């Protein structure tokens, strides 16, 4: 069972059923505006709520998990992870898909190809992608980006003429290119939203997996000191992502 904790600022009172629960959903955090000027207040609110619950029953600290619902932007996901939230609910994958946008984060380098877009978000409605044959995100293994399973040699000869380009049979194109998804958006085809949702959901799952792995890598015995010094694996990952999403219009 999941217990619901709906605190009100500035004081928190933890009911007995919450204090003894191992799964607690915190409600109300999303009511604080997610714009930059309220970010510290949002984090302080979340930290205070979690701290109050943990102190109410210290014996269950290690087994208790916190949930947040209605997390509506990447920055809020990162801040929630920083404050110790284990389960995060969000519908931004669907929102981006309905607006023709794709999440394109790069976890390997600060010099990301995602930085060429608006805060790690690629808007496929842009005419720039009309003849772009690349996948949404090179290296992504989602349904939309992964290479085609069928080989060029299995296609009719007319296929080559249709593409009007020379095709190397040793190289397979992505399942669906940026140009194709752009065309679907222009034609108002539902397939565009489906392909974008498959990609965005996959990328969010990758993000959550990396956040979880970074948390596990942090040495529990010295985690608090590392957190204060901002040297944890989790903090390093969050800063890498923030460098790509800081100009995003979805915050």
């Amino acid at each position: 069972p999941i217990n619901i904790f709906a605190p009100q600022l500035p004081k928190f009172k933890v009911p007995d059923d919450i204090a003894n629960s191992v799964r607690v959903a915190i409600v109300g955090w999303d009511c604080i505006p997610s714009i930059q000027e309220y970010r510290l207040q949002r984090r302080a609110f979340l930290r205070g709520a979690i701290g109050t619950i943990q102190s109410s029953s210290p014996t269950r600290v290690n087994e208790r998990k916190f949930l947040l619902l209605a997390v509506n932007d990447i920055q809020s996901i990162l801040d929630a992870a920083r404050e110790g939230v284990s389960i995060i609910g969000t519908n931004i994958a669907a929102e981006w898909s309905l607006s023709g946008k794709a999440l394109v984060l790069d976890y390997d380098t600060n010099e990301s190809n995602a930085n060429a877009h608006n805060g790690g978000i690629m808007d496929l409605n842009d005419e720039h992608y009309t003849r772009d044959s690349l996948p949404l995100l090179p290296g992504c293994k989602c349904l939309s980006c992964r290479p085609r399973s069928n080989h060029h040699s299995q296609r009719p000869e007319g296929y080559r003429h249709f593409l009007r380009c020379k095709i190397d049979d040793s190289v397979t194109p992505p399942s669906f290119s940026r140009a194709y998804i752009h065309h679907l958006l222009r034609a108002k085809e539902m397939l565009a939203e489906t392909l974008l949702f498959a990609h965005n959901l996959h990328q969010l799952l990758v993000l959550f997996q990396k956040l979880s792995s970074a948390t596990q890598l942090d040495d529990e015995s010295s985690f608090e000191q590392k957190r204060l010094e901002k040297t944890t694996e989790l903090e390093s990952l969050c800063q890498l992502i923030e460098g790509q999403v800081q100009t995003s219009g979805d915050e």
Side-chain angles (χ1 to χ4, degrees), residues 1 8 19 27 46-47 49 66 69 82 90 113 115 122 133 166 168 183 192 196 209-210 218-219 221 241 245 251:
Q8 295 180 341
V27 179
L46 187 58
R47 189 181 307 118
F66 293 93
L69 305 178
R82 281 171 163 138
T90 179
N113 61 9
N115 285 332
M122 178 186 295
S133 60
K166 183 178 179 180
D168 184 352
H183 158 72
L196 286 171
Q209 182 182 46
K210 288 185 176 295
D218 290 321
D219 183 5
S221 61
I241 298 172
V245 303
E251 296 186 7

Side-chain angles (χ1 to χ4, degrees), residues 205-216:
L205 291 175
V206 170
L207 171 60
F208 289 135
Q209 182 182 46
K210 288 185 176 295
L211 290 171
S212 178
S213 298
T215 301
Q216 294 175 3

Side-chain angles (χ1 to χ4, degrees), residues 137-182:
L137 181 63
C140 176
K141 298 180 181 180
C142 76
L143 172 68
S144 304
C145 297
R146 65 190 182 192
R148 290 182 182 272
S149 58
N150 53 336
H151 199 268
H152 291 304
S153 60
Q154 299 174 341
R155 296 171 179 167
E157 187 64 28
Y159 177 78
R160 299 171 180 270
H161 176 73
F162 173 75
L163 288 183
R164 299 179 182 178
C165 62
K166 183 178 179 180
I167 301 177
D168 184 352
D169 285 337
S170 65
V171 178
T172 55
S175 293
F176 303 96
S177 66
R178 298 172 182 177
Y180 181 64
I181 296 177
H182 170 76

Side-chain angles (χ1 to χ4, degrees), residues 218-229 231-232:
D218 290 321
D219 183 5
E220 293 183 0
S221 61
S222 59
F223 176 79
E224 186 61 25
Q225 181 63 31
K226 287 183 176 180
R227 186 181 73 84
L228 294 174
E229 297 174 356
T231 59
T232 65

